Amino acid sequence: MRLKDYVKDKILFLCFYCALLLLLFCFLRITGYPADYALLFAGLMTFLVLLYGGIDFYRKKVYFDQLFLQLEQLDKPYLIGEVMEKSPLLTDRLYRRVLRISNRSVIETVHALEQEKQDYREYIESWIHEVKAPLTAVNLMCARKISEGGEEAAFFRKMLRETESMEQAVEQALYYARSDEVYQDFLITPCCLNDIVSEAVTRNRRLLTACHIMLQFDLPENCRIYCDGIWLVFILSQLIRNSAQYRREARGKITISAKEEEKRVILSVLDDGAGIPENELGRIFEKGFTGTNGRNRKKSTGMGLYLCRKLCRKLGLSIYAQSREGEFTQITLEIPREESLQICKAEES
């Protein structure tokens, strides 16, 4: 609270006081009081008014400074009406009462929305688990038909690739549903980076084979990191699928490399695919952004990289991209090597 703002708020009162003081001075002069007495009386009145104004300004400044400090410290600012102290001024007490009544309605609405969100999340998770069962059964049937050989083997191979794509989409939906509460399903353990990369590649082996992708690895032996292996496998799998789907020609190459530093590991996924236009590179992690390549191929949802960045932020990892259109795209992850990984419970976004 600034003195300038306080004076502006009292400008009408000051104008009224000045007019009243002028009338009083004129009255005293008309009734025969000497000018010195009249000026002395007016000066005394002015001093008392300024003293009262100074005390009033100080009290209000202390009160509102403390109130704004409380507001900054609150995780949920709409609860300020519940924690603010009583003011000696009637207007402040009335405003506090109005705030508490209004905030009570907001809190009830927020709780209702949170419960609806939780119910929807639980429904999505249960639905996804129910869908996974028939997809797994279809995969097994296709695999059996392929092993038997025959003329229909090629058809079942294609069907198996499509069902695996469906599984990937279902898995992406599951991780998206859980992404707002990662910290409840997050377990930091020492992991071997080589095993995580191997698992991510295995999950996408049929897609990589169908896209004629050649893989190249440059990983330190027995590279140890501290992370949740399951979540990191999902993120890496999304990056591999993107690299395979946005290849330039019938064949492509993906290089997965890692560099060990003192407190972190720099993991990179580099492809020789279509690349990203320079004016679109800053937006590839935005929700729903498909870009020129996505619109041309008509298969992009714009959710893969968005979800990767969202999970990385919540899990305390860094992710960024480099690309040159028509030449390459490189996505880089920075993964801690220490146990002191901090989970970010709040968003971006």
Side-chain angles (χ1 to χ4, degrees):
M1 184 175 178
R2 299 179 302 177
L3 179 61
K4 179 181 178 181
D5 297 328
Y6 179 80
V7 173
K8 283 184 178 180
D9 183 62
K10 300 295 183 180
I11 193 68
L12 290 178
F13 168 77
L14 292 175
C15 292
F16 175 76
Y17 171 76
C18 290
L20 187 63
L21 196 63
L22 181 61
L23 290 174
L24 180 62
F25 179 81
C26 294
F27 175 77
L28 291 175
R29 291 292 294 141
I30 292 172
T31 55
Y33 278 87
D36 293 344
Y37 288 175
L39 287 174
L40 180 63
F41 185 76
L44 179 62
M45 291 294 296
T46 302
F47 171 76
L48 292 177
V49 168
L50 291 177
L51 179 64
Y52 170 80
I55 295 173
D56 183 58
F57 169 74
Y58 176 77
R59 291 172 62 189
K60 287 187 175 181
K61 185 178 187 317
V62 170
Y63 177 76
F64 283 104
D65 285 351
Q66 185 177 0
L67 185 62
F68 280 111
L69 181 62
Q70 288 179 322
L71 187 63
E72 291 176 359
Q73 294 174 345
L74 283 176
D75 292 334
K76 299 178 179 179
Y78 58 82
L79 293 175
I80 187 63
E82 304 298 324
V83 299
M84 62 189 297
E85 297 181 0
K86 288 185 178 180
S87 170
L89 301 178
L90 175 62
T91 53
D92 292 342
R93 293 199 300 270
L94 291 175
Y95 282 131
R96 178 174 179 266
R97 183 179 176 186
V98 170
L99 271 176
R100 297 189 71 174
I101 295 173
S102 174
N103 289 349
R104 193 173 296 116
S105 175
V106 171
I107 292 170
E108 291 173 357
T109 303
V110 169
H111 284 169
L113 291 174
E114 287 179 346
Q115 186 59 49
E116 289 180 8
K117 181 180 178 181
Q118 179 67 21
D119 293 343
Y120 180 73
R121 175 177 174 270
E122 291 175 356
Y123 167 74
I124 290 295
E125 289 189 13
S126 63
W127 177 85
I128 288 172
H129 287 300
E130 289 178 5
V131 168
K132 277 189 171 183
L135 284 175
T136 302
V138 171
N139 284 345
L140 291 174
M141 287 187 289
C142 290
R144 186 179 62 185
K145 289 292 185 181
I146 292 171
S147 63
E148 292 176 357
E151 297 179 356
E152 297 181 342
F155 169 77
F156 283 108
R157 285 193 187 93
K158 185 176 180 181
M159 180 179 290
L160 187 60
R161 288 198 299 270
E162 295 301 324
T163 55
E164 286 183 345
S165 296
M166 291 174 63
E167 280 187 327
Q168 290 285 344
V170 167
E171 184 181 40
Q172 187 182 86
L174 177 61
Y175 278 85
Y176 181 76
R178 292 177 174 176
S179 62
D180 287 330
E181 299 179 355
V182 171
Y183 59 92
Q184 294 184 357
D185 191 36
F186 186 64
L187 180 63
I188 301 173
T189 56
C191 303
C192 178
L193 182 61
N194 305 66
D195 294 341
I196 290 174
V197 171
S198 177
E199 174 65 21
V201 170
T202 301
R203 286 192 182 188
N204 297 279
R205 63 186 184 278
R206 289 191 175 87
L207 173 65
L208 295 172
T209 301
C211 294
H212 304 288
I213 299 296
M214 182 180 71
L215 290 173
Q216 181 175 334
F217 301 96
D218 184 13
L219 303 172
E221 188 175 354
N222 297 323
C223 181
R224 308 295 291 180
I225 57 174
Y226 275 91
C227 191
D228 186 297
I230 295 176
W231 290 85
L232 185 56
V233 166
F234 171 78
I235 293 171
L236 187 56
S237 179
Q238 290 292 308
L239 301 181
I240 292 174
R241 290 183 66 83
N242 272 13
S243 295
Q245 290 172 351
Y246 292 105
R247 63 193 185 281
R248 252 185 308 166
E249 301 170 352
R251 297 177 179 274
K253 179 182 177 182
I254 298 176
T255 302
I256 303 176
S257 60
K259 177 184 177 183
E260 291 181 295
E261 296 185 355
E262 183 179 356
K263 295 184 178 181
R264 61 183 180 176
V265 172
I266 309 298
L267 177 64
S268 298
V269 179
L270 173 67
D271 65 64
D272 60 352
I276 303 168
E278 185 177 356
N279 63 326
E280 297 179 1
L281 187 59
R283 301 184 59 195
I284 61 173
F285 293 109
E286 294 180 7
K287 184 177 181 180
F289 181 74
T290 57
T292 304
N293 294 327
R295 289 191 292 270
N296 290 340
R297 296 169 191 266
K298 299 180 181 180
K299 290 185 178 180
S300 175
T301 61
M303 294 298 294
L305 289 178
Y306 163 76
L307 186 54
C308 287
R309 186 185 65 169
K310 186 175 183 180
L311 295 178
C312 284
R313 283 182 171 178
K314 289 182 175 291
L315 304 182
L317 310 181
S318 298
I319 182 171
Y320 50 90
Q322 294 175 298
S323 184
R324 187 175 295 122
E325 188 175 9
E327 295 185 22
F328 75 92
T329 298
Q330 179 175 340
I331 307 295
T332 303
L333 296 171
E334 295 183 2
I335 310 167
R337 298 183 67 186
E338 298 183 336
E339 226 170 337
S340 58
L341 176 63
Q342 298 295 321
I343 305 171
C344 301
K345 295 184 181 181
E347 219 10 348
E348 90 242 172
S349 23

